Amino acid sequence: MSSRKKRIKNRKTEEKPDFWEAIAPAKQHSYALSFLIILPVFLFYASVLGGKQYMGHDVIQWRAGAESLMQHQEEYGETAHWAVNMFSGMPATTISHPPQIYNVDNTLLRFLRFIYPAAEMWILLGGAYLMFILMGAKPLTAVFGAIILGFSTYIPIIIGAGHNAKFLAYIYIPWLYNGYFLLTRSKMNRWLAFFIFALALTLHMRAYHPQVTYFFLFPLGTLFIYDLVKAIRSENPKPFYLQTGWLLGAAVVTILITVQLYWSTMEYSPFSMRGGSEVAGTDGLAREYAFAWSQGWGELLTLLIPGAFGGSEYYWGPKTFTSGPHYAGALAFLFFVIGVMQSKHALKWVFLGPGIATLFFSLGEHFPLLNNLMFDFFPLFDKFRVPEMWLMVTVFCFAVPAAFGFEWMTDRIKEGVQKSIWLKPMAVALLLAGAAVFAGFQLLDFQKPGEREFYAEQIAMQQNVPADDQQVTQTVTRIIQTQLIPAREDLAHGDSLRFAIIILLGAGILWGMGVRKIPVSAGAIALCVILAYDLIRVDSRYLSEDSLVDQNLTREDVIEQEERPIDRFIIDNNRHEEGWKYRTLPLLDNPFNNAIPAYFYPSAGGYSGAKLGYYQDLMDQAFFRPGVGLNVGVLSMLNIRYFTVGHPPNVPGIEIAFQEGAELVAENTNVLPKAFFVDSVQTVATQPEVLQRISQEFEPSQVAYIAENFTPEIRPDTAATVQVTEYNANRITLEIMRDEPGFLVLSEIWYPPGWKATLNGDEIDIIRTNYVLRGFAIPPGEHTLEMVLEPVWYATGNWLARIGTLLLFGSGLFGAYIAYRRNEDQPGVAEQLNT
């Protein structure tokens, strides 16, 4: 055949639309969305069709910690504002916020909870698909981008771990972009666009994960600044100013609806450990604590090769441990490189910039030049921990240029441009992929920092020999060389090979499309399927099977299965005759990082990443005394009567009360009642000095320490009495009788906001005593001391939420009415986004 005939034949082939282009646009969208809807069923089959439900670690911890709040609601028919069962008492909002006004999240999604997380994944994938469509992408490109956003490995990891708030906050992020684009770039009537943005923002904020919100302000803020600068440089910036007014209006509606959540957070923040430490003199998290779980430089390779650093089971990176990598997909990398090099989309850099910045933020302590600067000077940066979590934003942002690269490549091939035009960026991507594969095979040593010392200490302790004993050293070397390193090598090499195969397969499909051996749309669909298969296969490794339980089980059922004889003994014996319960320090159960004991009885420990800062100081410096062990004085003043232990403690005043096998319950025979008078009060200069005094040996029934500018009058009174007549989450009432003035210590954690104390109806001061407790100057006579917790944000917030909800759904109804009346059409939405 002559070259001329070949050109004519090729031209006819090019001009002939393939099967996908012959499908009507509406059907293309329906097929694309149907494919996205099916994908979560493959990954979450166990919960959708398998009769199981996800009940991850954090879900169980939350439910255990919320037990006292639910008991109060059931008994008194009102919302509890104080949790009495964790960390010796803390604001209820640190565990569970009050019931919120009805919205989509607590109606429709609650109804679909039996298939969690499939319905939430559909919201995420549908929003991601629309986001790419609104940015001008074609349906198959939108599918490709949505798969990256929905199935990057971190998403199933947080689902399996029970980080529900984090997941729910994330699923509305694409919808925030959709509302923003519809308000600023479309011809949709402003009321409907306003409603979509306001609803997305409201649902995101109601999910209540401030860290996700803060992190995603970076890319969202970058987009707004880009549009603002563009408007200022234009001849007519007024339209954008009006659009900004609509955005601000939506923000106001959201604030009204969610003000209760964030008002209580702002009230609590100065007192939480995230508000700093009086001892350390900081107003944020300690740097070392905040930068824990920093991503290592080399560990960034796991974005491409998930098993490069041992996954989760054989992890050997710089973090203490990890649940898994932030894998984004091999083909995502291929098209990301192409998109960065070739895409001319106006928004490419708007997403790429914050993606790179958050990548560097994820390095935390391993990139101190940047992150120390941000920690010291950038607003709120020092309030959040786990820098690795920034990669959640990085993957989201990098998905956009990857999708742009996918579209650029398929468009160039479809146009029949010279092969060199699309071969060059593909060759660069293959070269970089080859470097990643080389690193996976040749540049990793598979040895975790400090691992050798850790195993040596463990083995030496078991064998009762020094850690530097030759036999211990040999044993550690054998474990590392014959068990850990080979397993890590196999995983890294296997995933490196897997990455190479998928990259080559993707390049082969592109080549086949380019030489007209594979129809362009068929090739594009194949690439989407391969991406989905790749991510879902890796996701399934890190979707914890341990979090799956029978669908008929409640959270209470799961927790109650963990009850032990020692728990039953404490439950049966920790109630005082006045009705309140003594506290327990569950030393057998990782006490300061486990809420399960708090389900059964009030605990001096618990599970919270935002506990009271001064209580954290107390745990760090006063619960235990060096060389002595338990600080009985501090534990007695906290009403701690029982300890769960593995062996009898050699501490005066601590006796074994119950034993079941190797598990013991020790009793503090010196425990103080809920309220008690002291013989004297000593005033010191500062609260850290108070902490120092009680960290030493002291008798809390004899002396109390305060850091006030007065010393209360105290005279001996052997006939004084105090009785607790009411004790619950919102109210405490004491009946007091004294012949002489005295000082009363209440074994309840000091927390000023919302608590009001009255003596015979007259308000009195609640004095911070012994660093964490409440104290009161009591005059002679018979008195009723009453404490009531009525947070100002609660009732006010409820009314504001009702007003905001009416405004939100009213705007939606009004927008729908206008659309119906005008029967408006809105062509060109996507095209405007590309300009």
Side-chain angles (χ1 to χ4, degrees):
M1 185 183 295
S2 67
S3 60
R4 181 173 178 275
K5 289 181 179 179
K6 285 183 181 179
R7 286 197 300 272
I8 293 173
K9 182 179 179 180
N10 288 340
R11 192 178 302 117
K12 289 180 178 179
T13 302
E14 292 168 10
E15 292 171 356
K16 182 181 177 181
D18 63 20
F19 72 95
W20 181 258
E21 292 178 341
I23 300 173
K27 287 188 175 181
Q28 287 185 5
H29 291 309
S30 64
Y31 292 152
L33 288 170
S34 297
F35 175 68
L36 291 174
I37 287 172
I38 291 170
L39 291 180
V41 179
F42 288 106
L43 182 58
F44 303 108
Y45 174 85
S47 64
V48 179
L49 301 172
K52 300 287 187 179
Q53 61 174 315
Y54 286 98
M55 201 173 288
H57 172 269
D58 276 29
V59 172
I60 296 299
Q61 293 292 323
W62 167 82
R63 178 58 189 87
E67 174 64 8
S68 70
L69 310 181
M70 295 185 177
Q71 286 182 352
H72 183 90
Q73 176 71 42
E74 184 177 343
E75 184 174 352
Y76 296 95
E78 65 179 10
T79 298
H81 297 304
W82 189 258
V84 300
N85 62 328
M86 283 214 308
F87 297 111
S88 302
M90 62 195 303
T93 54
T94 61
I95 302 170
S96 183
H97 286 281
Q100 299 183 56
I101 301 299
Y102 285 127
N103 209 302
V104 174
D105 50 0
N106 57 0
T107 53
L108 177 62
L109 286 183
R110 181 169 294 178
F111 174 75
L112 295 173
R113 190 168 57 189
F114 68 97
I115 58 170
Y116 176 88
E120 289 78 6
M121 286 293 294
W122 294 336
I123 292 173
L124 170 60
L125 294 170
Y129 178 83
L130 179 59
M131 183 183 82
F132 285 106
I133 292 296
L134 290 177
M135 285 194 286
K138 297 180 177 65
L140 294 179
T141 301
V143 168
F144 189 87
I147 292 171
I148 301 173
L149 295 188
F151 293 97
S152 62
T153 308
Y154 190 64
I155 306 308
I157 284 174
I158 60 178
I159 291 171
H163 296 174
N164 293 2
K166 187 184 298 184
F167 173 56
L168 292 174
Y170 178 73
I171 68 175
Y172 300 114
I173 296 296
W175 287 99
L176 288 176
Y177 280 98
N178 293 335
Y180 181 89
F181 289 146
L182 289 171
L183 268 172
T184 60
R185 287 163 163 80
S186 82
K187 295 180 180 178
M188 173 182 280
N189 85 64
R190 287 291 173 260
W191 286 103
L192 272 182
F194 171 89
F195 170 71
I196 292 171
F197 181 74
L199 179 62
L201 185 58
T202 295
L203 294 175
H204 168 78
M205 299 294 283
R206 279 166 62 104
Y208 191 75
H209 200 289
Q211 189 161 356
V212 173
T213 302
Y214 180 79
F215 282 13
F216 274 96
L217 281 176
F218 282 76
L220 286 162
T222 301
L223 174 61
F224 178 80
I225 292 171
Y226 166 81
D227 284 345
L228 177 62
V229 172
K230 186 178 176 182
I232 292 173
R233 290 179 175 178
S234 69
E235 295 181 358
N236 182 22
K238 184 177 179 180
F240 182 74
Y241 296 156
L242 293 174
Q243 293 159 4
T244 300
W246 284 97
L247 294 171
L248 291 174
V252 169
V253 169
T254 296
I255 290 171
L256 289 173
I257 295 173
T258 61
V259 65
Q260 195 180 68
L261 295 173
Y262 294 91
W263 188 350
S264 63
T265 300
M266 291 175 63
E267 179 185 84
Y268 176 70
S269 181
F271 300 92
S272 82
M273 57 186 294
R274 295 174 185 255
S277 166
E278 291 170 287
V279 175
T282 61
D283 57 3
L285 289 172
R287 194 183 308 268
E288 182 179 356
Y289 180 75
F291 283 169
W293 274 268
S294 295
Q295 190 82 348
W297 280 98
E299 201 177 358
L300 293 175
L301 183 62
T302 57
L303 288 165
L304 314 181
I305 302 173
F309 275 71
S312 56
E313 183 180 1
Y314 296 107
Y315 177 71
W316 58 275
K319 299 189 285 285
T320 305
F321 64 87
T322 185
S323 298
H326 290 256
Y327 179 58
L331 292 184
F333 172 74
L334 175 68
F335 289 105
F336 170 78
V337 175
I338 294 171
V340 171
M341 290 181 62
Q342 297 295 337
S343 174
K344 305 301 181 187
H345 198 290
L347 296 181
K348 179 180 75 176
W349 293 105
V350 173
F351 284 90
L352 189 59
I356 294 171
T358 53
L359 182 78
F360 289 145
F361 294 160
S362 76
L363 297 170
E365 64 184 0
H366 304 301
F367 191 8
L369 181 65
L370 171 66
N371 290 310
N372 282 339
L373 190 68
M374 294 291 291
F375 189 87
D376 290 335
F377 298 106
F378 199 85
L380 301 181
F381 198 90
D382 62 346
K383 303 297 182 185
F384 303 104
R385 60 188 295 259
V386 190
E388 174 206 18
M389 188 179 151
W390 281 105
L391 291 176
M392 187 183 195
V393 185
T394 303
V395 171
F396 185 97
C397 291
F398 283 1
V400 175
F404 293 164
F406 180 92
E407 181 126 311
W408 181 90
M409 196 72 167
T410 52
D411 281 352
R412 299 297 83 76
I413 291 175
K414 188 181 297 183
E415 292 167 2
V417 299
Q418 293 181 357
K419 291 186 182 65
S420 59
I421 294 177
W422 54 267
L423 276 177
K424 181 179 178 181
M426 189 170 76
V428 173
L430 290 175
L431 200 62
L432 293 173
V437 172
F438 177 79
F441 274 99
Q442 298 295 329
L443 301 183
L444 306 176
D445 65 11
F446 306 108
Q447 297 194 50
K448 184 174 178 62
E451 182 175 59
R452 184 173 293 275
E453 293 77 9
F454 172 79
Y455 281 111
E457 290 177 5
Q458 296 294 313
I459 295 170
M461 189 179 301
Q462 293 171 5
Q463 298 181 359
N464 196 26
V465 296
D468 59 356
D469 181 86
Q470 185 176 1
Q471 187 175 357
V472 171
T473 303
Q474 291 173 350
T475 303
V476 171
T477 300
R478 185 174 66 253
I479 291 172
I480 293 175
Q481 295 297 330
T482 64
Q483 297 178 32
L484 297 178
I485 289 181
R488 291 162 176 168
E489 283 182 336
D490 288 345
L491 184 56
H493 293 171
D495 275 0
S496 297
L497 181 61
R498 184 177 179 278
F499 174 76
I501 291 172
I502 294 174
I503 287 287
L504 291 174
L505 181 60
I509 291 173
L510 289 175
W511 175 264
M513 292 161 59
V515 298
R516 296 297 188 264
K517 297 295 184 182
I518 301 174
V520 175
S521 295
I525 292 172
L527 292 168
C528 291
V529 171
I530 292 169
L531 175 69
Y533 173 81
D534 174 25
L535 285 171
I536 289 174
R537 286 286 292 178
V538 175
D539 289 349
S540 62
R541 298 181 194 173
Y542 303 104
L543 191 61
S544 175
E545 293 290 331
D546 295 336
S547 63
L548 282 172
V549 300
D550 189 277
Q551 202 163 60
N552 295 318
L553 289 176
T554 65
R555 294 163 181 171
E556 294 82 1
D557 293 333
V558 174
I559 297 172
E560 288 168 7
Q561 289 173 357
E562 299 193 28
E563 182 183 311
R564 303 157 298 184
I566 58 172
D567 298 317
R568 176 47 51 188
F569 173 84
I570 296 171
I571 293 169
D572 292 340
N573 292 277
N574 72 337
R575 183 179 291 274
H576 189 273
E577 60 185 12
E578 293 174 348
W580 50 269
K581 297 176 182 178
Y582 288 102
R583 298 189 181 102
T584 297
L585 182 60
L587 295 172
L588 276 179
D589 305 294
N590 192 9
F592 305 127
N593 201 29
N594 185 7
I596 299 298
Y599 179 85
F600 300 109
Y601 36 74
S603 173
Y607 181 81
S608 174
K611 63 183 75 72
L612 286 162
Y614 40 88
Y615 195 83
Q616 180 69 54
D617 294 337
L618 189 77
M619 293 190 306
D620 292 341
Q621 300 193 29
F623 266 52
F624 305 94
R625 293 173 56 205
V628 176
L630 295 172
N631 187 340
V632 178
V634 166
L635 303 181
S636 296
M637 80 177 191
L638 288 174
N639 250 180
I640 298 173
R641 180 178 182 182
Y642 292 117
F643 311 88
T644 61
V645 293
H647 55 81
N650 186 22
V651 179
I654 306 296
E655 301 176 354
I656 298 302
F658 179 81
Q659 181 171 359
E660 179 72 21
E663 299 177 333
L664 296 84
V665 177
E667 182 177 1
N668 176 14
T669 59
N670 296 313
V671 65
L672 291 169
K674 182 65 66 177
F676 54 93
F677 288 105
V678 293
D679 298 335
S680 65
V681 174
Q682 291 190 20
T683 302
V684 298
T686 64
Q687 290 296 342
E689 189 174 345
V690 172
L691 180 60
Q692 183 181 12
R693 296 290 184 92
I694 67 171
S695 300
Q696 303 165 3
E697 184 175 0
F698 92 111
E699 177 49 63
S701 64
Q702 296 177 4
V703 61
Y705 295 99
I706 63 175
E708 301 285 339
N709 56 5
F710 78 101
T711 300
E713 182 184 2
I714 298 177
R715 289 198 291 267
D717 186 351
T718 57
T721 62
V722 55
Q723 181 182 8
V724 179
T725 57
E726 183 180 24
Y727 180 83
N728 61 54
N730 296 338
R731 285 172 294 278
I732 302 173
T733 304
L734 310 177
E735 295 298 331
I736 301 169
M737 185 177 68
R738 280 191 70 91
D739 294 330
E740 301 291 343
F743 190 81
L744 178 72
V745 178
L746 180 67
S747 185
E748 289 296 315
I749 301 302
W750 176 81
Y751 181 72
W755 278 105
K756 180 181 178 181
T758 58
L759 191 69
N760 302 328
D762 296 325
E763 187 169 355
I764 63 170
D765 292 332
I766 302 176
I767 303 167
R768 184 176 176 183
T769 304
N770 291 347
Y771 200 66
V772 296
L773 297 182
R774 308 177 197 180
F776 305 89
I778 305 297
E782 294 185 12
H783 309 288
T784 297
L785 175 62
E786 186 176 24
M787 277 154 285
V788 178
L789 178 56
E790 294 179 340
V792 66
W793 49 261
Y794 179 64
T796 305
N798 260 332
W799 280 107
L800 293 176
R802 291 187 177 96
I803 294 170
T805 301
L806 288 174
L807 291 174
L808 173 64
F809 288 99
S811 68
L813 290 173
F814 185 64
Y817 171 76
I818 292 176
Y820 172 77
R821 293 285 295 176
R822 295 180 180 175
N823 192 25
E824 65 181 19
D825 192 15
Q826 44 176 322
V829 173
E831 289 80 354
Q832 295 178 52
L833 294 173
N834 254 331
T835 60

